[in-house]
Amino acid sequence: MKIAIITGASSGMGKWFAAYAPAFDKTIDEIWLIGRNEERLNATYQHMKIKSRIIPMDLTKAEEYKKFQIALSKFRPVIRMLVNSAGYGIIGPFVDMTAKDAGGMVDINCEALTRITRDCIPFMSKDSCIINMSSAAAFMPQPDFAVYAATKSYVLSFSEALYHELKAKKIRVIAVCPGCVDTPFFDVAQKYHGVKTYKKFFMSKERDVVRQALLDVRKGKKVSIYGLPMKLLYAITRLIPNEILLWFM
Ligand SMILES: NC(=O)c1ccc[n+]([C@@H]2O[C@H](COP(=O)([O-])OP(=O)(O)OC[C@H]3O[C@@H](n4cnc5c(N)ncnc54)[C@H](OP(=O)(O)O)[C@@H]3O)[C@@H](O)[C@H]2O)c1
């Protein structure tokens, strides 16, 4: 059985990865949809055009994650695609955040992503792919978005390194780094503070970002950046030292 595993499939970009996965890789027989909210996972499931399985779980809870590990060893699938889209970010000064909110970002964006990637690689074959949702926030440190930006830098660095490690096995790895995308992400993100107004000018549509990411996987890219403004930001952050950029911001 050849499968795609999509975390964060109950919302936003994860939902679109689930929708596009069967067309992207026609060998996929089944899609595993992961998220905490069973009702919203069900809504994604209703729109699926191929056989799908809902796995409701909190990826940061060891006892719930065990269910996933058991499913892997029971079915022993070939994993053609792993999309790590589960994640969240909270805007605001670090000191104003509860430890739970700040640490939670590290737990889901970094630790859970790393663990599931580690567990899935042994089930992958030539031409399988790993799609990790990073962010344009990864490009430089972001005061008032400090933990989130740092977690996404981790995802970017981890994915780029893995791209090279898995090249010999012909497993593709990509970090997806969009700017702001119009999803329910901001319902959680704006818990303490609103998003900066200038960022709203660069808001993208979720399906466009996902389409671009899948095209970039096909092209064998290691980083997918949607839209000219974010491509420019990426180039600028490679050229200009962080100190100058932070002063300017
Ligand atoms: N929207 C943006 O502007 C933007 C920009 C750049 C990067 N990103 C990144 O893109 C990814 C997808 O974000 P999105 O915009 O699609 O946001 P979203 O609509 O809020 O989706 C986030 C998904 O993560 C799942 N999730 C969160 N915590 C989880 C946990 N502990 N266990 C299992 N699932 C969990 C949520 O499902 P449940 O609530 O059902 O658990 C939801 O399906 C995230 O990693 C985000 O950081 C977003």
Side-chain angles (χ1 to χ4, degrees), residues 17-113:
F17 276 113
Y20 286 141
F24 174 77
D25 182 339
K26 295 204 168 60
T27 70
I28 293 171
D29 305 305
E30 191 172 306
I31 313 243
W32 291 9
L33 306 167
I34 297 176
R36 289 166 302 184
N37 188 310
E38 200 164 349
E39 205 177 306
R40 287 203 302 254
L41 279 177
N42 247 312
T44 305
Y45 177 84
Q46 300 302 333
H47 289 97
M48 295 306 296
K49 299 231 160 60
I50 67 166
K51 193 177 170 207
S52 301
R53 182 184 301 269
I54 288 175
I55 309 181
M57 66 168 161
D58 185 332
L59 283 160
T60 63
K61 294 201 170 132
E63 67 282 10
E64 294 186 25
Y65 184 72
K66 193 94 195 127
K67 283 194 287 188
F68 171 74
Q69 289 176 311
I70 289 168
L72 273 188
S73 41
K74 181 174 163 202
F75 295 106
R76 304 208 60 78
V78 173
I79 300 174
R80 297 287 300 164
M81 175 189 252
L82 167 66
V83 179
N84 281 309
S85 191
Y88 76 89
I90 296 182
I91 301 162
F94 174 58
V95 288
D96 291 355
M97 272 176 211
T98 63
K100 189 165 175 264
D101 281 342
M105 284 185 261
V106 180
D107 293 346
I108 184 69
N109 298 355
C110 302
E111 200 190 328
L113 176 142

Side-chain angles (χ1 to χ4, degrees), residues 8 10-11 13 36-37 40 58-59 85 134 148 152 181 183:
S10 56
S11 179
M13 287 178 273
R36 289 166 302 184
N37 188 310
R40 287 203 302 254
D58 185 332
L59 283 160
S85 191
S134 175
Y148 180 72
K152 293 301 177 179
V181 188
T183 73

